[in-house]
């Protein structure tokens, strides 16, 4: 039934602090979309930015409503990248896998379940659909040709630092990493010549699912990070052309980053480390 020219729809989901959002974060989406379109097999229909909630407890993390507002300002002119505040509005920290499941679920039934219980694990893509032909097929829009297959895949978009954080003890649950790469997929933007391939090679789980990990080389390298932006702001240095102008204006108007804000959560253990350490004790 599926012709060779059918494209799989992809939704790119980026989770993180976005503290603050930078031009580099926005570039990740553009690079990933170019990569998928150049394969000829995929059509990227949407990008979603999901800032982490305050309960993550990362050092220097300012309040989620400011981070969400800045992300919305930064994507105001994008016709395909949007901000979703579901994750950041939860009272407790959520594993990235739960956020992926939530967005996958939302694509299956556009009226989103607000409870986490409904964010069920994905069955292996494609298997279920063959048995139940009517269940997952979205209503075809008039302008949508027959060349799109099935439900869009939600893939986790990240930089190489996030992929390599899979190796940090207790930061990720092994079964979560497995489900992310097995059922959803990863798109990792890495600096040209980065050692991400080596990292995948050295991990049995990642190696096993390497076909579901898309490595995108960033040839026009961009070394902007939120950490460096905050450092410049603390020192009264300019951040123009590193973040969108609207974000810079918002930061200045609200006087968001200071030596005091950088000390927030100092000495507090990161939520996932707390949770997984206590899980392993129980």
């Amino acid at each position: 039934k599926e012709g060779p020219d059918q494209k799989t729809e992809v939704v790119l989901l980026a989770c993180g602090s976005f503290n603050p959002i930078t031009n580099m974060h926005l570039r990740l989406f553009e690079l990933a979309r170019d990569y998928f379109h150049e394969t000829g097999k995929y059509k990227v229909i949407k990008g979603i930015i999901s800032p982490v909630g305050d309960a993550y407890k990362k050092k220097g993390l300012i309040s989620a409503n400011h981070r969400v507002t800045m992300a919305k300002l930064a994507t105001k002119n994008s016709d395909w990248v949007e901000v979703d505040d579901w994750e950041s509005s939860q009272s407790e920290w959520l594993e990235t896998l739960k956020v992926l499941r939530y967005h996958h679920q939302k694509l299956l039934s556009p009226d989103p379940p607000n409870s986490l219980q409904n964010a069920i694990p994905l069955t292996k893509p494609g298997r279920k659909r063959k048995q139940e032909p009517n269940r997952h097929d979205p209503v075809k829009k008039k302008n949508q040709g027959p060349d799109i297959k099935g439900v869009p895949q939600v893939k986790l978009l990240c930089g190489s630092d996030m992929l390599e954080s899979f190796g940090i003890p207790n930061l990720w649950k092994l079964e979560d990493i497995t489900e992310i790469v097995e059922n959803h997929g990863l798109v990792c933007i890495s600096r040209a010549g980065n050692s991400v391939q080596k990292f995948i090679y050295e991990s049995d789980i990642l190696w096993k699912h390497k076909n579901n990990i898309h490595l995108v080389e960033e040839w026009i390298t961009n070394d902007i990070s939120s950490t460096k932006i905050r450092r410049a702001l603390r020192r009264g240095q300019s951040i123009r052309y590193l973040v969108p102008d609207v974000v810079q204006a918002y930061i200045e108007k609200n006087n968001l980053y200071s030596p005091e804000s950088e000390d927030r959560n100092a000495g507090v253990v990161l939520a996932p480390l707390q949770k997984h350490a206590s899980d392993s004790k129980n």
Side-chain angles (χ1 to χ4, degrees):
K1 196 174 73 177
E2 294 178 351
D5 52 349
Q6 287 187 316
K7 295 188 178 165
T8 303
E9 289 189 333
V10 170
V11 172
L12 299 169
L13 171 68
C15 296
S17 301
F18 300 101
N19 185 35
I21 191 165
T22 71
N23 286 344
M24 181 206 66
H25 291 129
L26 301 168
R27 280 293 296 158
L28 294 181
F29 283 93
E30 299 293 323
L31 288 160
R33 184 168 74 157
D34 282 348
Y35 161 87
F36 277 118
H37 289 175
E38 281 163 19
T39 65
K41 295 182 197 146
Y42 299 93
K43 178 181 187 343
V44 175
I45 56 167
K46 186 160 63 171
I48 302 170
I49 289 173
S50 178
V52 76
D54 294 336
Y56 186 52
K57 297 289 186 213
K58 190 173 180 182
K59 185 177 180 300
L61 191 65
I62 66 162
S63 83
N65 61 1
H66 281 313
R67 292 181 290 109
V68 167
T69 303
M70 288 188 284
K72 285 183 172 168
L73 288 168
T75 51
K76 202 172 57 197
N77 297 332
S78 174
D79 56 358
W80 69 284
V81 180
E82 59 189 50
V83 179
D84 189 285
D85 63 0
W86 178 78
E87 177 186 359
S88 66
S89 63
Q90 304 297 310
S91 56
E92 52 188 63
W93 167 76
L94 290 185
E95 289 92 340
T96 298
L97 176 59
K98 287 182 179 161
V99 184
L100 266 169
R101 281 183 195 164
Y102 166 83
H103 285 287
H104 178 79
Q105 204 60 36
K106 205 169 149 182
L107 289 165
L108 296 182
S109 52
D111 308 318
N114 259 327
S115 74
L116 270 173
Q117 280 66 40
N118 300 5
I120 49 168
L122 245 185
T123 47
K124 276 253 179 60
R127 262 192 213 160
K128 195 110 178 197
R129 237 172 288 151
K130 291 193 176 59
Q131 297 153 2
E132 308 172 25
N134 311 330
R135 183 168 157 220
H136 289 210
D137 286 340
V139 184
K140 281 219 162 48
K141 299 195 188 78
K142 282 200 178 67
N143 58 357
Q144 191 181 311
D147 62 333
I148 300 293
K149 54 185 178 194
V151 181
Q153 296 179 356
V154 185
K155 296 196 181 293
L156 187 61
L157 173 63
C158 64
S160 48
D161 51 345
M162 185 196 230
L163 185 76
E164 289 175 3
S165 79
F166 285 172
I168 299 172
N170 285 329
L171 190 60
W172 296 82
K173 290 197 294 227
L174 215 52
E175 59 267 34
D176 280 15
I177 296 174
T178 307
E179 192 177 321
I180 289 171
V181 291
E182 193 169 0
N183 289 348
H184 298 276
L186 271 179
V187 192
C188 178
I189 313 286
S190 67
R191 312 267 146 81
N194 193 291
S195 56
V196 177
Q197 273 107 329
K198 182 171 181 282
F199 185 79
I200 292 171
Y201 166 73
E202 286 171 358
S203 155
D204 287 345
I205 289 185
L206 298 181
W207 181 260
K208 183 180 173 192
H209 299 290
K210 65 181 187 295
N211 293 342
N212 221 2
I213 301 174
H214 302 269
L215 292 185
V216 183
E217 295 241 30
E218 177 186 25
W219 293 103
I220 304 175
T221 52
N222 173 343
D223 206 21
I224 307 168
S225 71
S226 299
T227 307
K228 292 174 182 175
I229 299 283
R230 295 196 304 277
R231 183 181 297 138
L233 287 164
R234 287 199 305 277
R235 296 174 182 177
Q237 296 167 340
S238 165
I239 56 166
R240 189 153 191 211
Y241 310 119
L242 301 176
V243 302
D245 289 347
V246 281
V247 171
Q248 184 192 357
Y250 184 86
I251 290 172
E252 285 170 4
K253 183 177 136 211
N254 295 282
N255 199 14
L256 290 188
Y257 294 101
S258 63
E260 292 72 47
S261 74
E262 199 59 24
D263 279 338
R264 260 182 123 165
N265 298 323
V268 180
V269 178
L270 215 53
L273 296 176
Q274 264 181 36
K275 186 170 181 179
H276 300 151
S278 68
D279 285 355
S280 58
K281 278 198 200 86
N282 296 343

